[in-house]
Each structure stands twice: as C-alpha cells, then as structure tokens.
Amino acid sequence: TLGSVRIPAAYCGIAGFKPTFGTISTRGMLPLAWSLDTVGVIAPRIADCALIAATAKGFDREWPYARRGPWMIREKRFGDPQALGGLRVGRPTGLERVVIEAELARAYERALAHLAACGAQVIDVDFGALDHARVRREAFLVIEIEGATTFAEALRQDPEGFSETVRALFGYGARQSAV
C-alpha cells in the first residue's frame, strides 16, 4: 500500500511488479487497507515477476474486487514487434520538473522506447492540475480508517502489539467520520 512493492524493490536493486487492483485476489490475506491493497511481486528479474504474477492471477468469484479485464503481462514473445499490441502505456507530462538522476531518466526513456517497439501505444497523460500532496494525504486517510477497522479487535486485545506510531494512526482513523 503506497509503495510496498516499488520501494523495497528499488532499495534492493531488484524487480517489482504491482498489477492492476483486482487481478490477483487478496482473499485470505490480512489487509491494511482493503480498498487499496494489491498483491505485488518482488523478484530478482522482471521475467521472474512475470512468471509469479501469471501463476497467481485469476478471477476469484468469491472476492468482491475481482476483475475479469485483460491480463497485460504477455509471458512470451517479448522480441515480437507486436507482443504488446493493444496495450496503452501512460507517460506523465511535466517530468522535466522532477528531480531525477540522469541514468534513471535514460533508463525510463529506453523502457518506453522498448514498449513502443513491442507494439504498445505510449500516450502522454497530463497530471498538471493534480495536487499530489492532497492525493497522498487522502490515501493515508483511507489507510488510517480502514486499518483502524481491520485491526480494531487486535488493538483492543493487545495494544502493545502495535507501535506507538501505528496506534496513533489507527486511533486517528477510528475518530474520522465518513461524512
């Protein structure tokens, strides 16, 4: 939730893949925020992530958030010029305003070029008016509220089983109104 795949993968120098919400069931898992949590994959290589994610995917009739949409990982034919035909990839505009290491920027551009060479349509997406700080704060509010609900009984039974910070976050979430 909010970076639980990309951040550890980046810190460890390995691959991380977060599929579209609903393509891998979280049924049976203990969520932090059930409306945001997604099963992600962290592995040494992208091909390993693809194999694990392809194995884990599938429509779960008993999971209310399940999606039947297309599965975007094509496990084969990455050298095929049309392996990604029909896939649209969003490229945020305004990235020149983001402080980013030159090597990372070049890798990003190479990745977009490779996706396009494999048949994906790369489209510009304008997030100019988006207030990123507000969106992040609202996502944290969802986590605080849903986490407070999910862990309410555990917090009552064993409050010391949670750090002071987590108790404060969930306490704040428990005091919020849905209105």
Side-chain angles (χ1 to χ4, degrees):
T1 307
L2 295 182
S4 60
V5 173
R6 67 182 165 83
I7 294 170
Y11 284 162
C12 294
I14 57 177
F17 173 65
K18 181 184 179 219
T20 300
F21 181 84
T23 55
I24 297 177
S25 176
T26 60
R27 188 166 53 99
M29 298 174 70
L30 185 60
L32 173 59
W34 62 85
S35 68
L36 299 175
D37 286 347
T38 302
V39 175
V41 179
I42 300 173
R45 300 175 313 133
I46 293 170
D48 298 328
C49 286
L51 178 63
I52 294 166
T55 303
K57 74 174 175 68
F59 184 75
D60 181 351
R61 285 181 167 74
E62 297 182 31
W63 186 52
Y65 301 110
R67 295 180 56 134
R68 284 195 187 270
W71 183 247
M72 284 297 139
I73 289 182
R74 307 245 164 83
E75 298 88 2
K76 55 185 185 258
R77 301 184 342 228
F78 272 111
D80 178 349
Q82 291 307 309
L84 299 179
L87 177 66
R88 290 185 315 164
V89 176
R91 174 183 41 221
T93 59
L95 287 179
E96 64 279 353
R97 296 185 308 263
V98 177
V99 177
I100 187 170
E101 293 180 22
E103 182 181 344
L104 183 58
R106 286 190 300 272
Y108 175 72
E109 291 302 324
R110 282 193 312 271
L112 288 176
H114 182 71
L115 290 167
C118 288
Q121 178 187 9
V122 179
I123 59 171
D124 288 335
V125 180
D126 182 10
F127 291 108
L130 185 65
D131 181 346
H132 294 281
R134 180 178 177 192
V135 169
R136 184 168 177 77
R137 178 62 208 129
E138 289 174 357
F140 269 110
L141 183 58
V142 169
I143 290 169
E144 290 161 339
I145 293 169
E146 291 184 6
T149 302
T150 298
F151 294 101
E153 184 62 29
L155 281 163
R156 276 193 291 281
Q157 290 181 2
D158 182 20
E160 297 305 312
F162 296 84
S163 72
E164 185 177 328
T165 302
V166 171
R167 286 194 310 267
L169 291 171
F170 290 166
Y172 178 79
R175 294 186 302 274
Q176 301 312 301
S177 168
V179 193

